[in-house]
Amino acid sequence: MKPFGYVRARTVPEAIEAHTSAPAARYLGGGTNLVDLMKLGVETPATLVDISALPLDTVEDTPGNGLRAGAGVRNSDLAVHPRVRADWPVLSQALLAGASGQLRNAATTGGNLLQRTRCPYFQDLAQPCNKRAPGTGCAALTGHSRELAVLGASPSCLATHPSDMAVALAALDAELTVAGPGGTRTLPVTELHRLPGAHPERDTTLAPADLITAVTLPPATAGAPSAYRKARDRASYAFALVSVAAVLRLDPDGTVRQARLAFGGVAPRPWRALRAEDVLTGARADEETFRRAADAELAQAAPRPDNAFKVPLARELAVAVLADLATAQTAPEPQP
Ligand code: SF4
């Protein structure tokens, strides 16, 4: 590992000032991804600004029944928070589907959003990779791309975003609070991650010293039936080949009043399925509708030969999750 400077910040302004004044600085939260990448030589910050002591570790209700989680809240704590489990089960399930118990105990809400791709060539300094070293090429284009993107890729990069939590947050229309040198602003989580285009080295729309300080879940999705399901090569401690986060609320006549759908493991960012939502909203909640919705979204997929399986997998996973959510709302109450 290369030598680096270390600064421990006590307040958000202090962290931003330290980041702004140090060359090639990076924020250090749980460190579960950044430190691994530093050991590999993929990340070489000159200075680490430690933000683990910032007062960003609380979860609180917001007016109107929303919820605000500080960016320093650990993944394991957010997953078992009583309101998250009751009102946004899709988020609790996504968090519990990610990583291992030990990692969830260390990883933070903000850091989970900012983790980097697990494309094997990104982590291998001997391979060309436009994301790690801009302009060097993309080893995945002629190599192994089974786990990589079928939506939103570019000729420069077809990496996927690895977060489960971010997929749930996309389906929930969550909003981020971002502090930076120019002040504090809000940012829809769906506008955090960018598609690679010609600049895959930039994962997000954040400026260098921007710091995510909180994630807010809006009241509009509180209490709505929701679920997260993940298809992966083994039952635990594996990244998604495909995942689905869904919110589905039906009217009494069996039509869809509210639908939110997002895919993970298929694109360089959590993929909010707006075309599918258009098909779902107002339609009868049955398998034919769910299949039509998934197909409308996946019609834009551009798979490669070794990851073409992701398209039917995403379709069937989405249909299954939506069907389960619909059944749970239409099944007769059990008799005493
Ligand atoms: Fe690098 Fe992206 Fe190509 Fe992977 S897919 S090697 S991350 S440029």
Side-chain angles (χ1 to χ4, degrees):
M1 191 185 284
K2 291 191 173 172
F4 56 88
Y6 175 85
V7 179
R8 191 166 170 84
R10 299 284 172 187
T11 66
V12 169
E14 198 178 297
I16 293 168
E17 168 60 25
H19 196 297
T20 306
S21 56
R26 293 292 307 272
Y27 291 122
L28 176 69
T32 55
N33 185 216
L34 176 60
V35 174
D36 281 352
L37 293 175
M38 289 173 67
K39 290 178 190 168
L40 292 169
V42 174
E43 293 272 12
T44 54
T47 302
L48 287 182
V49 179
D50 187 342
I51 55 172
S52 60
L54 300 186
L56 301 174
D57 58 350
T58 57
V59 182
E60 55 198 39
D61 293 340
T62 62
N65 212 29
L67 196 76
R68 188 175 194 270
V73 173
R74 305 289 161 172
N75 288 179
S76 47
D77 292 335
L78 191 59
V80 300
H81 189 279
R83 281 215 60 210
V84 173
R85 291 177 65 165
D87 286 343
W88 295 277
V90 61
L91 177 57
S92 177
Q93 291 165 15
L95 283 160
L96 292 173
S100 63
Q102 293 93 331
L103 284 168
R104 291 195 295 271
N105 285 340
T108 63
T109 304
N112 188 317
L113 288 168
L114 298 177
Q115 61 180 303
R116 307 208 69 190
T117 184
R118 294 327 197 266
C119 172
Y121 304 112
F122 175 70
Q123 301 187 359
D124 183 348
L125 297 188
Q127 299 290 338
C129 172
N130 289 322
K131 187 179 277 297
R132 171 174 32 79
T136 56
C138 170
L141 289 174
T142 52
H144 180 83
S145 57
R146 177 177 177 271
E147 289 84 12
L148 302 185
V150 297
L151 290 162
S154 79
S156 297
C157 180
L158 43 144
T160 51
H161 194 270
S163 172
D164 294 294
M165 183 193 77
V167 182
L169 292 180
L172 292 172
D173 280 327
E175 200 168 68
L176 308 178
T177 305
V178 179
T184 297
R185 66 187 191 279
T186 56
L187 179 72
V189 74
T190 49
E191 294 177 16
L192 172 65
H193 300 100
R194 56 183 297 284
L195 295 180
H199 290 285
E201 72 277 11
R202 288 167 41 210
D203 289 357
T204 73
T205 56
L206 297 181
D210 281 349
L211 177 65
I212 297 172
T213 58
V215 175
T216 300
L217 303 175
T221 49
S226 67
Y228 185 79
R229 199 172 299 174
K230 176 176 179 178
R232 47 186 159 176
D233 280 329
R234 55 175 187 262
S236 71
Y237 197 36
F239 293 97
L241 292 168
V242 175
S243 68
V244 169
V247 178
L248 189 75
R249 204 190 308 249
L250 305 187
D251 277 324
D253 67 355
T255 58
V256 176
R257 175 156 36 116
Q258 182 189 38
R260 302 276 187 276
L261 188 69
F263 289 107
V266 294
R269 68 182 186 200
W271 191 266
R272 181 71 183 265
L274 296 175
R275 296 181 190 192
E277 291 174 16
D278 280 348
V279 173
L280 290 166
T281 305
R284 178 137 206 91
D286 58 21
E287 185 174 328
E288 190 272 331
T289 298
F290 302 150
R291 206 162 283 283
R292 211 158 32 85
D295 284 341
E297 193 65 42
L298 295 165
Q300 53 193 317
R304 299 170 61 76
D306 61 353
N307 67 7
F309 73 95
K310 286 192 173 191
V311 178
L313 182 57
R315 180 194 306 118
E316 298 309 317
L317 205 59
V319 170
V321 171
L322 292 167
D324 283 355
L325 288 171
T327 301
Q329 293 171 71
T330 54
E333 292 287 324
Q335 296 301 312

